[in-house]
Amino acid sequence: MIFRQLFDHTSSTYSYLITSRQGGEALLVDPVLENTARYIQLARELDLRLVLAVDTHIHADHVTGLGQLRKQTGCITAMGEMTQAECLSTRFSDGEKLKLDNVDIQAIYTPGHTDDSYSLVLPGRVLTGDTLLIRGTGRTDFQNGDAGAQYDSLFGRILKLPDETLVYPAHDYNGMTVSTIGEEKSHNPRLQVSDRAAYIVLMDSLVLNDPKMMDVAVPANRKCGLAKAA
Amino acid sequence: MIFRQLFDHTSSTYSYLITSRQGGEALLVDPVLENTARYIQLARELDLRLVLAVDTHIHADHVTGLGQLRKQTGCITAMGEMTQAECLSTRFSDGEKLKLDNVDIQAIYTPGHTDDSYSLVLPGRVLTGDTLLIRGTGRTDFQNGDAGAQYDSLFGRILKLPDETLVYPAHDYNGMTVSTIGEEKSHNPRLQVSDRAAYIVLMDSLVLNDPKMMDVAVPANRKCGLAKAA
């Protein structure tokens, strides 16, 4: 498998280019609009056919590249069935396998940061979107976020993966690129809670500013980034 | 093997934490002074014993964490034998294996960006310092840089590694985290030259500003970052 983690400096977003081999079909996860040309160039250099672009959820901090990628490459664009994005080729549901030659990818529904958040499980690794971050978790105070649902997604689903599973989030602000489930269980301060109620108290106690891009990004992302304003 | 790529946002430096296993001996490559506490915390969380810290060369764009890491952890600090850093525990020479339990690491002399530049070859991957960057190469216009020597290091040594070898550089400014030797041979614009003379012309034609930190970093790094001014 070729697995490329790509970083957007402005929003500290990680996007992922995934394929079984040079010359194969490729998937892009959480692409950032401004980097579209770079993704297409990299896919071309690796002789890949970009067949699928997925957002783990509607992002509030950057505009998605989904629409432009579909326009420029003809790829299928997909998100989970709960999303309010209006412009997708298809929607996946909990437990569904994504179609990509020779790569096993399962979408699992992990709401909490938003009500349309999915994680993607691959052999030995998981893309956790904004649900599980490295030494953090995604905020739950907007876009139908729900701390209780996030607790269930974390403790009931993601953290049940084997301890050695590599964790690849949609963001990191501290220069970390990867972690593991075991490491997060032991050292993620948000996960050191006694129960669901304590997690809700912890998340509700956070005082956070709205993301700078939120008023632009959310409406634009409902249109897959093809219009910057609603 | 645990292999952690760590990013410094200010200088766009990649540092690397390497160990055979949780609980094992660890090596840090190209640590940035300001991130020292983060490295030590991560090593503690993974139950690692930091035994060795290495700079691939004297950096001009950030102050090294070598001295502080030695002070705080007792680790050995090492660079290549040509370096002007005055504060090292030991120096390695071309072809020498670094001592780290159960990880095979060979230092190879790859001058050109500076006259003290080394690359580190591990099974299936190479840490190229500033000699080979992703779709670029390190500038050769200061610190005894030499475009001809860099050509020899690139074409005579690094690019002779197998095409599938993963390339991990000391910097990236465009959000790329990794490449391969084959990919760089085909798509790195600096490497599309007909011969050594053409490479020298190409590198000599670059018009670059001095790194912002240069006047501070180079003298500080000669003292392993323990004094910010010479």
Side-chain angles (χ1 to χ4, degrees):
Chain A
M1 188 169 69
I2 297 174
F3 183 89
R4 287 291 166 86
Q5 185 178 40
L6 301 159
F7 186 63
D8 177 66
H9 287 257
T10 309
S11 61
S12 293
T13 300
Y14 283 125
S15 309
Y16 298 91
L17 180 68
I18 300 168
T19 179
S20 65
R21 61 182 176 83
Q22 205 150 344
E25 290 186 354
L27 159 67
L28 249 171
V29 179
D30 288 329
V32 175
L33 177 63
E34 287 77 5
N35 304 333
T36 302
R38 196 214 295 168
Y39 305 137
I40 291 175
Q41 182 179 344
L42 181 58
R44 192 187 310 122
E45 289 173 350
L46 293 173
D47 192 25
L48 304 179
R49 198 157 49 90
L50 186 63
V51 296
L52 184 60
V54 165
D55 272 352
T56 51
H57 63 287
I58 289 203
H59 295 277
D61 56 358
H62 67 269
V63 177
T64 179
L66 284 194
Q68 269 302 325
L69 285 167
R70 185 168 75 167
K71 212 166 154 181
Q72 293 185 39
T73 72
C75 71
I76 286 170
T77 53
M79 291 182 68
E81 58 187 351
M82 290 75 174
T83 188
Q84 291 180 42
E86 304 148 2
C87 46
L88 300 161
S89 317
T90 184
R91 286 156 195 250
F92 45 77
S93 56
D94 183 39
E96 194 171 327
K97 300 268 181 143
L98 304 189
K99 285 183 187 63
L100 190 72
D101 263 4
N102 301 310
V103 186
D104 182 31
I105 306 177
Q106 185 181 35
I108 60 170
Y109 184 43
T110 53
H113 171 62
T114 64
D115 61 356
D116 69 346
S117 291
Y118 273 73
S119 297
L120 301 178
V121 181
L122 290 90
R125 62 187 85 198
V126 57
L127 273 57
T128 54
D130 285 12
T131 305
L132 177 61
L133 305 175
I134 298 174
R135 309 297 192 266
T137 56
R139 61 193 295 172
T140 55
D141 59 334
F142 57 64
Q143 279 191 280
N144 299 323
D146 181 321
Q150 191 171 63
Y151 179 91
D152 298 336
S153 295
L154 290 165
F155 286 88
R157 306 209 68 172
I158 294 175
L159 298 178
K160 300 225 168 190
L161 292 166
D163 276 359
E164 62 275 17
T165 308
L166 296 171
V167 171
Y168 286 97
H171 294 286
D172 191 85
Y173 306 94
N174 304 305
M176 303 281 277
T177 55
V178 65
S179 183
T180 66
I181 291 292
E183 208 176 312
E184 292 308 310
K185 273 188 196 166
S186 299
H187 302 296
N188 187 321
R190 296 264 175 92
L191 304 181
Q192 312 310 310
V193 289
S194 51
D195 57 20
R196 192 176 194 269
Y199 187 74
I200 294 171
V201 169
L202 171 64
M203 294 305 287
D204 285 353
S205 71
L206 301 175
V207 180
L208 302 165
N209 294 326
D210 280 351
K212 280 181 219 158
M213 291 272 301
M214 186 172 178
D215 293 341
V216 174
V218 172
N221 288 339
R222 288 193 181 138
K223 297 178 185 298
C224 293
L226 285 175
K228 285 222 174 188
Chain B
M1 188 169 69
I2 297 175
F3 184 89
R4 288 290 166 87
Q5 185 178 40
L6 302 159
F7 185 63
D8 177 67
H9 287 258
T10 310
S11 60
S12 292
T13 300
Y14 283 125
S15 309
Y16 298 92
L17 180 69
I18 301 167
T19 179
S20 64
R21 60 183 176 85
Q22 205 149 344
E25 290 186 353
L27 158 67
L28 251 171
V29 179
D30 289 329
V32 175
L33 177 63
E34 288 76 6
N35 303 334
T36 302
R38 195 214 296 169
Y39 306 138
I40 291 175
Q41 183 180 342
L42 181 58
R44 191 188 310 123
E45 289 172 350
L46 293 173
D47 191 25
L48 304 179
R49 198 155 50 89
L50 186 63
V51 297
L52 183 60
V54 165
D55 272 352
T56 51
H57 63 287
I58 289 201
H59 295 276
D61 56 358
H62 67 270
V63 177
T64 178
L66 248 52
Q68 270 300 326
L69 284 167
R70 185 168 76 168
K71 212 167 152 180
Q72 293 185 39
T73 71
C75 72
I76 286 170
T77 52
M79 291 182 67
E81 59 187 350
M82 289 74 175
T83 189
Q84 290 179 44
E86 304 148 3
C87 47
L88 301 161
S89 316
T90 184
R91 286 155 195 252
F92 45 77
S93 56
D94 183 39
E96 195 171 325
K97 299 268 180 142
L98 304 189
K99 285 183 187 63
L100 190 72
D101 263 4
N102 300 311
V103 186
D104 182 32
I105 306 178
Q106 185 180 37
I108 61 169
Y109 184 43
T110 52
H113 171 61
T114 64
D115 61 356
D116 69 346
S117 291
Y118 272 73
S119 298
L120 301 178
V121 180
L122 289 91
R125 61 188 85 197
V126 58
L127 274 57
T128 53
D130 285 12
T131 305
L132 177 61
L133 304 175
I134 298 174
R135 311 295 193 265
T137 57
R139 61 194 293 173
T140 55
D141 58 334
F142 57 63
Q143 281 190 280
N144 299 322
D146 181 322
Q150 190 170 65
Y151 179 91
D152 298 337
S153 295
L154 289 165
F155 287 87
R157 306 209 68 174
I158 294 175
L159 298 179
K160 300 224 168 190
L161 291 166
D163 276 359
E164 63 276 18
T165 308
L166 297 171
V167 171
Y168 287 98
H171 295 284
D172 191 85
Y173 306 95
N174 304 307
M176 303 280 277
T177 55
V178 64
S179 182
T180 65
I181 291 293
E183 207 176 312
E184 292 308 311
K185 273 187 195 165
S186 298
H187 302 296
N188 186 321
R190 295 265 175 92
L191 304 181
Q192 312 310 311
V193 289
S194 51
D195 57 20
R196 194 177 193 269
Y199 187 74
I200 295 171
V201 169
L202 170 65
M203 294 306 287
D204 286 353
S205 72
L206 302 175
V207 180
L208 303 165
N209 294 326
D210 280 350
K212 281 180 219 158
M213 292 271 300
M214 187 173 176
D215 293 341
V216 174
V218 171
N221 288 339
R222 288 195 181 136
K223 297 179 186 299
C224 292
L226 286 174
K228 284 223 176 187

